[in-house]
Structures are given as C-alpha cells and as structure tokens.
Amino acid sequence: MYFLHYGDMTDSTNLIRLIQEIQPDEIYNLAAMSHVHVSFEIPEYTANADGIGTLRILDAVRLLGLEKKTRIYQASTSELFGKVQEIPQTEKTPFYPRSPYAVAKMYAYWITVNYREAYGMYACNGILFNHESPIRGETFVTRKITRATSRIALGLQDKFYLGNLDAQRDWGHAKDYVRMMWMILQADEAEDWVIATGKTTTVRDFVRMSFLEVGIDLEFKGEGVNEKGFVKTCNLEEFQLPIGKEVLNIDPRYFRPTEVDLLIGDASKANNKLGWFPEYDLKGLVKDMMQSDIKLMKKQQYLEKGGYKTLNYFE
Ligand code: GDD
C-alpha cells in the first residue's frame, strides 16, 4: 500500500512529524531544486532545500532514535566534480563545484558522511552522473532536444534554441540508475558510490543522435553564438523536411555564469563490489526518449486538429 504525504524540505517540523509517523526502513532523498542554471537565480532557496534540507532529514532520524532502523540514500551528483580535477571522476576525485546548486549539494554530501561517521547511521551518497528518461523535466537539455526534434520532424515547430553545444556529459538511463539507488541501500556496508556509464558525449552529438532517430542527418555550420544546425538529408518517408532547413540556433540566454565543461565517471567500484552495470547505452536512451516524444507529439498534433473525441486511439 502506498501513501502520498505532503512534505517540504524547508520545514523541519513537517519532516520530523512525517518520519515519526512513517517510521521508514529506507529514505531516498531525491528532493531538491535540481536545475543547475536556475540555482544561479535562487541560490539561497537552493542552499536551504538542497543543503540544509538534507541535514533536516538526517537530524530528524537521529532525534527520533531511528539511527539503527532507517537507512538513508542521499542523491549526490556529478556536478560536485564541476571543474574536474581528474579524468575520469571516481569516488576519490576532489570536488570543485561550479554553481550554487553544486555548492549546496557539497554540503549535503559531507553532512551525510559526517552523520554516518558520528552516529553510526547507515547513510550513503550516490554520486550519480546525468540520468535521463522519457519523463525527464522539459527544461533539462536531453528532453528539450528530444521534444523539439519530435515537434520539428512532425512539422509542429520551425526550430529551437540551445546554449553551450560543446558541454560534454556522461548520460545514462534513469531506469539503470534508480535500480542502483536501491542496491546501494541493500549493501552490507554504508558507503559512497559513483554511478556512471564511463562514456561522454557533447550536447551537439546528442542533438545529432536525436535527429537520426527520425532519419534526419544534420550538419552544423558557424562558430560560437553563430553556430546553426541544418537538415542535410532525410532518410525516412514519414519525416521529410526541406534540405538545408535551419532547425537549431544558439541563444546565449542559456549559457551559465560558470559552466561544467566535461563529465565522465568511472563506476568501477559499483561494477566490482555491487555487480552493477547499465543495461542501456546512449543510443538506447535516445531511442527510448525519441519514441516516447514522437508518440506524445503525434497526440498533440491530433488534438490540435480537433481529434479529441477519439483520443484513446493513441493510448
Ligand atoms: N538545460 C539546458 N538547456 N542545458 C543546456 C542547454 C539548454 O538549452 N544548452 C546547452 N546546455 C548544456 C548545459 O550548459 C550543460 O552543460 C548541459 O547542457 C546539461 O545541462 P542539463 O541537462 O540542464 O543538466 P546538468 O548537467 O546541468 O545537471 C543535471 O544533471 C546533474 C547530474 O546528475 C541535473 O539533473 C542535476 O540536478 C544533476 O545533479
């Protein structure tokens, strides 16, 4: 049986009452203001929810005397590595956070380690590299790309805008990563773990791969803010666009005050000690996201044409 409770990471009394009522065996703290760019706009709230919020959970468990019962998973992040001090990044790589989000997450990381060491709590950090899926929020770059690609391929949108195409990320499938979160809390010992695929790809190549899923090969011309993406060939009858059509522009609004240029993780510890390996590669992830968004956008296209009466045709 599942219950949904109202909670807020900035409200200690609420968290204490909830944990007292539920007496959980496991807590997965995935709550956060998780958008890196937005954290530059609301740094204080981000510190409160993402940093102090983690302390509130840990301390609620301690205060309620649940240190030996409740296991805690803390959603740490590859953003901690920021301006990377080592390639690839492991559990031992020093942190260099590059955003208010990452700085808040750094506090959360260390307070988790501290409560484990000080009070013998089973509290772990999963240092997860970017993980994506068809239900990824629409303002994160992968979903923004797969949604826009689908809309453009279906003729619902002319073009779209991105920021830094050179950024490189180690993208995995959320399904693989959530499985690992659970595995982390089942391990004999509480430890911290890097979870990654070990491969890195530019934002530009993610765009390219998304368009290839609908048979469209792109070419990129120009540099910096003047770089643009154009249709080179269309290889599927269903998705035909004019050759040379401009589909991608750069908008400097999406540049960050300080950027994380390159992330690539080494998950050897998780591979060797817990037997975790991802089932999806990047191609499989892009395919999953594109298939889902094409279906979603076809539904929108149908609705826009007034076909709402037979909506279940697509479900
Ligand atoms: N969001 C966004 N929008 N990012 C863009 C855009 C754009 O239009 N254009 C280029 N990018 C670049 C960003 O500058 C960044 O380098 C990269 O794409 C990835 O951006 P996001 O998808 O927003 O993710 P993130 O890497 O900053 O952070 C995500 O992953 C972390 C690691 O797991 C978030 O989910 C974090 O909460 C998470 O900790």
Side-chain angles (χ1 to χ4, degrees):
M1 185 107 62
Y2 301 98
F3 290 101
L4 199 54
H5 300 268
Y6 287 100
D8 190 320
M9 293 302 285
T10 65
D11 182 341
S12 305
T13 53
N14 159 264
L15 293 172
I16 295 167
R17 185 175 50 74
L18 279 183
I19 293 173
Q20 183 174 34
E21 204 174 301
I22 299 164
Q23 299 272 312
D25 294 318
E26 297 175 0
I27 296 177
Y28 294 84
N29 179 26
L30 311 188
M33 198 311 287
S34 70
H35 202 286
V36 174
H37 202 175
V38 174
S39 77
F40 288 94
E41 304 294 327
I42 47 171
E44 183 183 332
Y45 174 78
T46 306
N48 192 0
D50 300 12
I52 311 294
T54 305
L55 169 67
R56 291 188 184 102
I57 289 190
L58 289 160
D59 211 52
V61 168
R62 184 172 80 97
L63 199 90
L64 294 166
L66 296 172
E67 301 99 313
K68 296 285 170 266
K69 172 180 166 68
T70 306
R71 294 186 166 200
I72 299 172
Y73 171 88
Q74 169 57 21
S76 282
T77 161
S78 53
E79 283 295 300
L80 293 170
F81 299 121
K83 191 173 178 181
V84 297
Q85 303 295 294
E86 189 178 38
I87 296 172
Q89 296 85 51
T90 72
E91 291 82 0
K92 296 203 160 47
T93 304
F95 297 149
Y96 192 143
R98 293 270 280 174
S99 63
Y101 165 79
V103 174
K105 283 283 188 177
M106 182 137 158
Y107 176 83
Y109 174 93
W110 283 115
I111 200 68
T112 301
V113 172
N114 183 245
Y115 269 56
R116 178 170 76 219
E117 292 175 354
Y119 307 116
M121 288 167 59
Y122 193 109
C124 307
N125 287 289
I127 308 173
L128 268 55
F129 282 62
N130 298 50
H131 40 291
E132 317 293 318
S133 84
I135 56 168
R136 177 59 139 154
E138 293 159 14
T139 60
F140 295 92
V141 80
T142 55
R143 187 76 197 292
K144 188 171 163 185
I145 295 168
T146 57
R147 274 174 57 91
T149 304
S150 305
R151 290 183 61 82
I152 292 169
L154 289 166
L156 292 169
Q157 186 174 326
D158 190 39
K159 60 177 161 183
F160 74 121
Y161 298 82
L162 289 175
N164 179 9
L165 298 184
D166 291 317
Q168 288 173 266
R169 288 291 181 277
D170 180 334
W171 280 297
H173 198 299
K175 272 189 189 169
D176 284 323
Y177 288 50
V178 169
R179 178 163 47 86
M180 182 58 193
M181 290 177 192
W182 178 82
M183 288 168 81
I184 287 175
L185 286 200
Q186 316 312 310
D188 293 337
E189 236 184 284
E191 291 180 67
D192 306 313
W193 307 86
V194 159
I195 306 303
T197 70
K199 298 210 167 72
T200 194
T201 308
T202 60
V203 171
R204 185 181 298 98
D205 278 342
F206 195 100
V207 174
R208 204 175 265 134
M209 289 173 77
S210 300
F211 273 89
L212 282 176
E213 282 301 317
V214 281
I216 299 169
D217 196 8
L218 293 187
E219 62 181 338
F220 295 83
K221 292 183 192 162
E223 274 180 27
V225 290
N226 297 316
E227 185 169 356
K228 293 179 167 58
F230 300 92
V231 173
K232 198 161 101 188
T233 57
C234 298
N235 305 311
L236 289 179
E237 209 176 307
E238 191 184 358
F239 304 109
Q240 287 294 323
L241 296 175
I243 305 305
K245 180 183 164 53
E246 191 178 303
V247 291
L248 173 64
N249 284 185
I250 302 300
D251 187 336
R253 234 173 6 127
Y254 297 114
F255 292 158
R256 296 169 181 188
T258 38
E259 174 66 290
V260 171
D261 296 319
L262 163 76
L263 291 174
I264 177 166
D266 174 356
S268 300
K269 180 178 165 187
N271 302 152
N272 299 332
K273 277 184 101 167
L274 294 180
W276 176 84
F277 291 93
E279 284 172 12
Y280 283 84
D281 61 6
L282 184 59
K283 193 166 180 349
L285 168 67
V286 174
K287 191 183 208 54
D288 194 24
M289 293 180 73
M290 279 301 298
Q291 281 180 347
S292 167
D293 274 335
I294 284 285
K295 203 167 150 194
L296 187 72
M297 297 311 160
K298 278 187 176 168
K299 199 158 147 179
Q300 276 186 13
Q301 187 182 38
Y302 189 69
L303 285 176
E304 279 167 24
K305 287 187 185 151
Y308 56 88
K309 287 185 190 119
T310 50
L311 182 62
N312 60 4
Y313 172 78
F314 289 103
E315 284 168 348

